[in-house]
Amino acid sequence: MAIDLQQIGKRFRFYTNLKELEMEDLKSITGADETTLNHIINGCNIVLDELVAIVKNFEDLNPQWLIYGEGSMFKPMDEDGHCQDGNKGCLKKDKAAYLQQMKNMLIELDAAEVAKGHKPDIDALKAKLDQLKATQ
């Protein structure tokens, strides 16, 4: 499977927006410089070794989702609602806000995926989001 640097950037930007992380927060958390972080966020000139080193600092972020768009954005939670790293609560925002932002991201990614011929995948994700909203 090919790695799409622009999609990695969009997913990382979505994750950081959802977690309400500003550039200063990212620099502090990762120890990376602003240029490297901007390259990742903008999906250009990404060095995969740097990306891996940065992703390790976000223990709730699923690297499979970030790089390939597969699976959930967050690593699985246990029965008590703890992330795999043992911290309570992966999100600052409530579930409804998360679902709305995820839906907005799907709309943004839809154009790129349709161009690649993945329209059924996007439709399936939208249907799943609608199901989740209906259960709230």
Side-chain angles (χ1 to χ4, degrees), residues 16-35:
T16 58
N17 287 340
L18 188 65
K19 299 284 283 192
E20 300 174 353
L21 299 171
E22 301 293 329
M23 182 57 73
E24 291 304 315
D25 300 320
L26 294 174
K27 288 173 20 182
S28 173
I29 291 167
T30 64
D33 60 66
E34 191 166 338
T35 301

Side-chain angles (χ1 to χ4, degrees), residues 15-132:
Y15 171 81
T16 58
N17 287 340
L18 188 65
K19 299 284 283 192
E20 300 174 353
L21 299 171
E22 301 293 329
M23 182 57 73
E24 291 304 315
D25 300 320
L26 294 174
K27 288 173 20 182
S28 173
I29 291 167
T30 64
D33 60 66
E34 191 166 338
T35 301
T36 300
L37 292 167
N38 275 324
H39 284 176
I40 292 171
I41 289 169
N42 294 315
C44 63
N45 299 325
I46 297 174
V47 176
L48 288 180
D49 289 342
E50 291 174 346
L51 178 64
V52 169
I54 287 169
V55 169
K56 287 180 182 179
N57 294 290
F58 302 99
E59 295 179 355
D60 63 342
L61 178 60
N62 179 354
Q64 189 75 12
W65 173 81
L66 179 66
I67 295 170
Y68 300 107
E70 297 173 352
S72 172
M73 177 184 349
F74 295 105
K75 291 179 181 175
M77 298 174 87
D78 64 19
E79 307 82 42
D80 298 325
H82 292 87
C83 296
Q84 278 187 332
D85 65 358
N87 292 326
K88 181 83 170 162
C90 296
L91 290 173
K92 291 183 181 178
K93 297 181 179 181
D94 64 28
K95 189 174 181 180
Y98 166 73
L99 288 172
Q100 182 59 48
Q101 194 162 2
M102 181 64 85
K103 191 168 190 170
N104 292 341
M105 180 192 177
L106 285 172
I107 291 167
E108 182 182 333
L109 293 175
D110 190 32
E113 293 300 314
V114 168
K116 293 181 185 177
H118 294 286
K119 179 73 172 149
D121 296 337
I122 295 295
D123 291 340
L125 286 171
K126 285 180 181 176
K128 191 169 187 175
L129 278 172
D130 291 338
Q131 285 177 338
L132 287 170

